[in-house]
Amino acid sequence: MDAAGPRSSLRGALCSLLLTLMLFSFACKACKKVIFNIPSKLEADKMVGRVNLKECLRSADLIQLSDPDFRVLDDGSVYTANTIVLSDEKRSFTLWLSDTKKQTRKEITVLLEHQKKVLRKRHTKETVLRRSKRRWAPIPCSMQENSLGPFPLFLQQVQSDAAQNYTVFYSISGRGVDQEPLNLFFIEKDTGNLFCTRPVDREEYDIFDLIAYASTADGYSADLPLPLPIRVEDENDNHPLFTEQIYNFEVPESSKLGTTVGVVCATDRDEPDTMHTRLKYSILEQTPRSPGIFSVHPKTGVITIVSNYLDREVVDKYKLIMKVQDMDGQFFGLMSTSTCLITVKDSNDNAPAFKENTYEVSVEENAFNVEILRIPIEDKDLINTANWRANFTILKGNENGHFKISTDKKTNEGVLCVVKPLNYEENNQVILEIGVGNEAPFSRDSTLRTTTMNRALVTVHVKDQDEGPECNPAAQYVRIKENSVVGSNVNGYKAYDPETKSSNGLRYKKLHDPEGWITIDEISGSIKTSKILDREAAIPRNNLYNITVLATDKDGRSCTGTLVVNVEDVNDNAPKILQDYLVVCKPKMGYTDISAVDPDEPIHGAPFYFSLANTSPEINKIWTLSKINDTAARLTYQKNADFQEYNIPITVKDRAGQSATKTLRVNLCDCTHPSQCVVTKRSAGASLGKWAILAILLGIALLFSVLLTLVCGVVGAKKKKGFPEDLAQQNLIISNTEAPGDDKVCSGNGFMTQTVNNSSQGLCGTMGSGVKNGGQEIIEMVKGGHQTLESCRGHHHTLDSCRGGHVEMDNSRYTYSEWHNFTQPRLHEDSIRGHTG
């Protein structure tokens, strides 16, 4: 046993040493590697475990991770940043702790493991070891709101089955520990007992989500972090409160039963869906008290009408004291009150009524725009509203429109006026039935609406007056044929005395006669024509000619009327062709249309008959007429017609035989549009005017040329000098040079002549250019018509640039030999006469 004793003590010492070495090894590795057991899949923002950072590097102020799928808090708690799936059994990442001030850095390796159960074949003699599932306890936990303690108040004990094999230390984190409210909960490190330090208000914090940790002394996480929710049980400590202290509602007085007036609402801060927040509404008091008109729904707070006694004219405002109580209205529930003011709005439930049913009034006849009666009414509805303002109507007796009734906006009275003169002789008494209503429609039941129009009778007595003559009807009609002989008698205007119904003693006078066609007899009022009436000349409206007549009685009272003369038409006008001059473009236009009008009435007008008058056989061969409609005809020419202006006499006749003939000027022109022919005609006229002036100037120049020739002949005879033979033949010099020449010669007849290549002077304007034609020189003689400057200067310009004017030339051309044969004998004869003279 001794030997055994030392062996046994040695064995114990070795075990103690081995355990110490193991603990030391664990302490050294704690700062280098941390192992967490996690499930194969973790969602984002889930806690993996907690690393003891202070034991590794207490002064660390910077924490970094090598894996972006994780994040670490300042207390060492490691959370997933993304969803993590462990495809392998292990996963690791590195955590660096740095002290930036001391330039110190330590590294921690975090290893994530997922242990899979490995099934292996065992021998029958082997002992089966069964391991129960590691778990935390307990999980559910709650505490009473506003607890009275004693504090610290024990809540529960947290235990981990890892405590069976290791020395486990417990800790917690979360709101109420290291987050606001701080230090509300704490846990005993060794026992796991959880305590609360003070009362909690559920309305401020309804639940605390704590996290419990179990770790060994060396920082090894003995188990997964445990979510530890602590729920605060509600206490009925809050009164329900109305959303408003005073509610204001309006309701029409004509509202039916069940009409919603308004809704009151209350809130309770206690836990929803519990008896603490189950509210019940009621009416504590109504002012005035009787009768009870309103009711409130106990659950919804909707106030409705439950009585038919709502009448603004009796009570226009109600005050309700509203109560709300939790615990579903039980006597021990908490309650509060509010005030509800209900204003009754006016409705048109009171019809206006006349103060009297009958009225009598008198008015002078012929008076108008005068007020004759004011009719007061009574209405109980709200003053100066549409329910109170009256609308008056004349129901009967105003068929002729003599009366009008309106409402005085200030007094709400009916104002009856005469707007059209009354006639005592026609009716000396008028009975009016007046009705009254409101601007707004009546709001009572439809069965009562028949009684809302109150009625009153107004008797109007018409007073007789001694009146002047009456022109009635104001417009009287007579008929006179136009072209009637002067002095024709016609019935005139008749006025009468309304008292005697007679025209005796009245005098008539013409006030207005636009054309002075008639005279009026002063005593009888009959009229006579003073001129021949021409319906077409006066152009009356609808063949009516108005004459204003004044009728006067013996007392000087008068009236005016209108004598309307209907001028009867006579067929005294022949139809007239509207066109005078027509242009027809051949061959584009094969015809032209003409039309006619007749100022007489249609009975004496169309249809018209068109025909060619006594025309020459040439016109009849070329032109034909055909009918288009009742007022137009078509003038057509033959294809072989020449371009020229034709004078075509055409006769047009109306249905009664009145006819007229008119000569049309028709220009058959070679054009595409008539306007082109008009332009050509105008330009030709302008050219002809210039030629007339030019002809006069040329005549004067020719006269001076003859006189100059005679003078030259006389002077030559005196000097006994004649023209040499060769000089007579040099009256025209042809310049064959390409450039313009300036050779000049005095011809045998005394004209100063310039070659055709120079600017036109002398006879250059009457002579063309020399052109070589097969070696023979040809001179163009200009006799008239348009000639270009090519014949004068060899360039394409008009002759105006040569002579300074617009000259028209012929195309007649003569050879030099012909010109020489024509001028030489005549020049020779002039020379002989000069010598003999």
Side-chain angles (χ1 to χ4, degrees), residues 273 555 610:
D273 301 324
D555 296 326
F610 297 85

Side-chain angles (χ1 to χ4, degrees), residues 238-295:
N238 289 278
H239 290 256
L241 299 175
F242 282 99
T243 56
E244 297 182 26
Q245 288 297 319
I246 299 177
Y247 291 90
N248 289 281
F249 300 122
E250 292 182 345
V251 59
E253 63 175 326
S254 58
S255 300
K256 298 180 180 180
L257 294 179
T259 300
T260 298
V261 176
V263 180
V264 293
C265 182
T267 58
D268 196 322
R269 295 184 61 199
D270 289 323
E271 187 173 0
D273 301 324
T274 64
M275 290 295 290
H276 299 163
T277 55
R278 186 172 297 178
L279 307 182
K280 185 175 183 179
Y281 300 93
S282 60
I283 299 176
L284 282 181
E285 182 182 348
Q286 172 185 305
T287 305
R289 296 181 177 275
S290 180
I293 296 178
F294 304 100
S295 174

